[in-house]
Amino acid sequence: MSKFEELKESVQKIIDLIAAKQSKEANNKLLEVSDTLDEMLDHAEEDEELREISRYQVLLNQLHVKINGEEQVDGE
């Protein structure tokens, strides 16, 4: 399995956790995936790899906003 296939599965798990209203678990998984992306970015050599990593970073940022937005709504 390629590193990007693993990332895709991990991101899907985050989305599933958000859908199941498990914000804490989703946030923990998001942090884990974010660390993995940072490592990949440090070792990326090809432009295509950098573009793919960038796409995942944008997606993770959107998921982060979604998770934290729901936490605020749940806390009210």
Side-chain angles (χ1 to χ4, degrees):
M1 182 182 300
S2 82
K3 54 191 166 187
F4 288 112
E5 288 171 343
E6 290 175 26
L7 271 178
K8 185 177 178 181
E9 285 185 9
S10 295
V11 168
Q12 184 59 53
K13 179 143 181 75
I14 295 167
I15 293 168
D16 293 344
L17 288 167
I18 292 170
K21 304 282 188 206
Q22 296 177 345
S23 297
K24 184 176 169 73
E25 293 85 352
N27 203 42
N28 289 342
K29 186 70 176 174
L30 188 138
L31 292 174
E32 178 186 312
V33 174
S34 187
D35 287 345
T36 301
L37 267 183
D38 288 344
E39 268 183 48
M40 289 173 69
L41 190 57
D42 289 344
H43 297 91
E45 296 176 6
E46 303 288 325
D47 285 347
E48 183 55 37
E49 276 184 295
L50 292 172
R51 281 192 291 274
E52 192 71 14
I53 291 168
S54 158
R55 288 183 197 116
Y56 277 100
Q57 286 175 319
V58 169
L59 178 56
L60 287 183
N61 285 337
Q62 291 171 335
L63 292 172
H64 178 78
V65 168
K66 175 85 173 144
I67 292 167
N68 291 312
E70 285 187 3
E71 283 178 358
Q72 290 173 354
V73 170
D74 291 344
E76 289 179 349

